[in-house]
Amino acid sequence: MGLPLSAARAGTGIGAIATFASTFLAWTWTAAFPGDLSVTGYPGGLQVLTLTGAILTLLFVLAGYEIRGLRWLSPAGKNGPALLFALGTFVTTWFTVIAITVDLGGLANLEPGAYVAAVASLIALVAALGLPSDVAADNTTANAWQRFVHCFKAPTPKEATALPGWAEILIIAVSFGLGLYVFTYGIDIDSDNPQLFIGFLILVGFGATAISRAGLNRRLAGLTSKHKNVTVTAAFVAAFAFPFTQSNDAYATIGTNILIFATVALGLNVVVGLAGLLDLGYVAFLGVGAYTAALVSGSPSSTIGLHLPFWAAVLCGAGASLIFGVVIGAPTLRLHGDYLAIVTLGFGEIFRITMQNLDGSSGPDVTNGSNGIPNIPDLELFGFNLGESHTILGMELGRFSNYYLLMLLFTIIVVTVFRRSDQSRIGRAWVAIREDETAARAMGINAFRLKLLAFALGATLAGMAGTVQAHVTFTVTPAQYKFVEAVPPNSAFLLAAVILGGMGTVSGPLIGAALLYLIPAKLQFMADYQLLLFGVALILLMRFRPEGLIADRRKQLEFHETGQLDAPKGDIGLKKAGV
């Protein structure tokens, strides 16, 4: 038997308020624990995450009462989101308490505030487990675990009251602003404070699930599809504002590398997500663009000795990758499935080994072998040297911030190409080939030519990103383009970014690439177990979210039950048909 609804909501709310109050007390007596949780009256570090979780838990509890102004928060589920936020707050709080105990050596290092937080978050969670499920048919006979499981299954959101146009645009702008704040908060966490980043991941993970179960993501998706131009503008305004939020240019490094990784992943999404071609050697096209730019950009170690302007280097890198894409794709795209994957994997390794052997000993002296091409000069655009600091809008931007803004421009180009391709006749033909190539051929589609076009376009986009990567990293070496490497981008992580984010979508690979780059960069102490954890994460993803974090409607219908009745089988079907 569950708790009465009023008692469960009251208990969850009281627990959330007590948890909120506990963050203003000292949790430990020493500042040795990262974040300094010893100050009374001023939450810091992991306390801020607990405070945020408590506030969100309380808000969604109040939304269950359908209080005017809060109804919009939970269009699909009244109780599931509150339970998920209570669980996220509980896990974050208890993780902090355990981390203090382990790092400082015993329970004696806990102050009363930590005990209050642990007990209060437990009370909120236990009371939230008593909330009735939003979808359970018979809540009176369901136990706490069954009600908890049902909270992960949100019903269809209710029809929202129409809002004025300006209000819908404001909601979109605020949503992207909050997204920028969360992303910036994660990047700004010092890598020497992994406890805070783990707590951040815990709360964001439960929070994203709660928002999804509340139906807010669907409601926001409806607004963004209604105001597409506003959405695209808001997204890139938020991205443009990122370097202006950074006080340390070192954090902008992560943002720049994420954009490079994400742009290449989006190019791979053309090949895998739209055309359905499994390419395991895609990182080689990034390397072709990077090596081409390194050879023609004036590096003292270049064996060619050219120094072309940047726009010419970009064209050379993109053109070289295009040629390689056609040359490799023409003989191999007649293969299908696993055979195509093996051939592309072989191409990736052939490229890396070839670059390593062009050292003047094993072959012609072109790439300096395993030493690569170092000392690639910084770019100069319109009189600005991107390697120097510049003041823009009253703020000083360092080297990596400059390259971030340049890479953002390239990302806009790639996103535009992807969206135009996806919405064109060619894009629809790619999807048809991906779903059933035999049927597409029967409808008159030239499958080979269109697959070659997808392969060439994906290679061109990767080569274009490689031209910027060469200048950002100063050096291009063959070791950067292995199939699996500890530091992305590499073919395995690029493919994982597409699958994790959601194949065939624009935002999916961007989010997937950001997660796969940011998490290893912040949790460096787990580098020895990175591939193991990566494999576990993929297994969990395939089990619980096979369509990816951001999935289109087709993928959702493909991987999940639609609620439609199955077609009758056997004699029963014949009898119903009157036969």
Side-chain angles (χ1 to χ4, degrees):
M1 293 292 291
L3 293 173
L5 177 60
S6 58
R9 283 179 175 168
T12 305
I14 292 173
I17 294 172
T19 305
F20 171 83
S22 70
T23 60
F24 291 87
L25 303 175
W27 286 15
T28 183
W29 61 274
T30 174
F33 187 79
D36 191 4
L37 309 184
S38 63
V39 180
T40 299
Y42 188 82
L46 284 159
Q47 288 176 319
V48 175
L49 298 179
T50 296
L51 181 148
T52 304
I55 292 176
L56 292 172
T57 302
L58 183 60
L59 282 177
F60 277 89
V61 168
L62 295 177
Y65 288 103
E66 297 189 357
I67 297 176
R68 186 176 180 84
L70 293 178
R71 298 175 186 173
W72 208 87
L73 283 177
S74 191
K78 299 178 181 179
N79 302 317
L83 171 57
L84 288 169
F85 272 117
L87 179 59
T89 305
F90 169 80
V91 175
T92 303
T93 303
W94 280 69
F95 166 76
T96 306
V97 172
I98 293 172
I100 294 173
T101 304
V102 173
D103 288 1
L104 301 183
L107 294 172
N109 295 284
L110 295 176
E111 288 290 298
Y115 291 103
V116 173
V119 173
S121 62
L122 178 61
I123 292 173
L125 176 60
V126 171
L129 287 172
L131 292 171
S133 169
D134 295 320
V135 295
D138 185 6
N139 186 69
T140 59
T141 60
N143 57 37
W145 172 252
Q146 290 172 330
R147 290 194 299 272
F148 171 72
V149 171
H150 277 298
C151 284
F152 284 84
K153 302 177 182 179
T156 304
K158 298 178 180 178
E159 193 69 26
T161 304
L163 297 175
W166 64 267
E168 294 178 342
I169 293 174
L170 180 61
I171 290 173
I172 293 173
V174 170
S175 299
F176 278 101
L178 290 175
L180 173 63
Y181 177 80
V182 172
F183 178 72
T184 302
Y185 186 91
I187 281 188
D188 289 347
I189 296 176
D190 196 334
S191 58
D192 294 333
N193 188 1
Q195 298 93 336
L196 179 57
F197 189 75
I198 293 174
F200 170 77
L201 289 179
I202 292 172
L203 188 60
V204 168
F206 279 104
T209 306
I211 289 173
S212 175
R213 299 315 175 198
L216 281 176
N217 58 337
R218 295 185 186 180
R219 182 162 287 181
L220 182 61
L223 295 181
T224 55
S225 62
K226 182 179 179 180
H227 304 280
K228 291 183 179 180
N229 293 332
V230 173
T231 301
V232 173
T233 302
F236 284 107
V237 167
F240 177 81
F242 167 73
F244 297 95
T245 65
Q246 302 301 300
S247 58
N248 188 346
D249 195 50
Y251 294 140
T253 309
I254 299 177
T256 304
N257 288 320
I258 285 176
L259 277 186
I260 293 174
F261 190 12
T263 302
V264 180
L266 197 56
L268 178 60
N269 199 24
V270 174
V271 180
V272 177
L274 294 183
L277 305 173
L278 183 56
D279 188 350
L280 298 182
Y282 187 75
V283 74
F285 298 120
L286 175 70
V288 170
Y291 264 101
T292 303
L295 289 171
V296 302
S297 294
S299 170
S301 301
S302 171
T303 57
I304 295 180
L306 291 178
H307 191 180
L308 301 178
F310 177 61
W311 64 266
V314 171
L315 292 179
C316 288
S321 296
L322 171 63
I323 293 172
F324 270 85
V326 173
V327 169
I328 299 301
T332 61
L333 288 177
R334 299 186 187 278
L335 301 173
H336 302 276
D338 297 339
Y339 300 102
L340 176 61
I342 292 172
V343 170
T344 55
L345 175 61
F347 163 65
E349 288 302 296
I350 289 171
F351 167 78
R352 181 181 62 83
I353 295 172
T354 302
M355 295 299 102
Q356 188 168 331
N357 289 338
L358 296 179
D359 56 357
S361 176
S362 302
D365 187 11
V366 179
T367 64
N368 299 322
S370 58
N371 293 324
I373 303 176
N375 302 318
I376 301 172
D378 283 309
L379 294 173
E380 288 192 17
L381 298 175
F382 307 108
F384 290 93
N385 188 325
L386 297 187
E388 300 175 354
S389 298
H390 296 92
T391 301
I392 301 178
L393 300 179
M395 294 193 64
E396 184 175 349
L397 300 182
R399 177 179 185 271
F400 289 106
S401 295
N402 296 332
Y403 277 107
Y404 172 89
L405 295 176
L406 174 64
M407 200 60 223
L408 181 61
L409 176 62
F410 277 75
T411 304
I412 294 174
I413 296 173
V414 173
V415 168
T416 302
V417 171
F418 183 89
R419 290 185 64 197
R420 294 293 185 182
S421 300
D422 184 24
Q423 297 169 3
S424 66
R425 292 178 60 188
I426 294 176
R428 292 192 292 271
W430 282 337
V431 173
I433 294 171
R434 182 192 70 194
E435 296 299 322
D436 192 329
E437 184 173 341
T438 303
R441 289 178 183 275
M443 296 300 294
I445 294 176
N446 190 329
F448 174 76
R449 186 177 65 182
L450 288 173
K451 289 195 295 184
L452 184 60
L453 178 61
F455 209 73
L457 178 59
T460 303
L461 297 178
M464 188 170 62
T467 59
V468 180
Q469 186 204 32
H471 292 87
V472 171
T473 59
F474 286 122
T475 303
V476 177
T477 62
Q480 295 174 326
Y481 306 105
K482 294 181 179 180
F483 173 69
V484 176
E485 179 66 20
V487 179
N490 55 67
S491 292
F493 274 73
L494 287 171
L495 185 60
V498 174
I499 296 173
L500 171 65
M503 292 190 298
T505 62
V506 175
S507 56
L510 301 179
I511 294 175
L515 291 175
L516 288 180
Y517 193 94
L518 180 61
I519 293 175
K522 294 299 182 181
L523 301 180
Q524 297 178 3
F525 74 98
M526 302 178 71
D528 294 339
Y529 308 98
Q530 178 176 324
L531 292 179
L532 173 63
L533 297 175
F534 177 63
V536 172
L538 283 181
I539 292 173
L540 294 175
L541 177 70
M542 292 299 100
R543 172 60 182 84
F544 297 104
R545 188 77 178 180
E547 72 273 24
L549 298 178
I550 307 294
D552 57 16
R553 184 63 176 167
R554 181 189 299 272
K555 291 296 181 183
Q556 290 176 340
L557 294 175
E558 180 180 349
F559 288 107
H560 295 283
E561 296 180 1
T562 61
Q564 297 178 353
L565 296 176
D566 294 334
K569 300 178 181 179
D571 295 338
I572 298 177
L574 295 175
K575 291 178 180 179
K576 288 185 177 180
V579 180

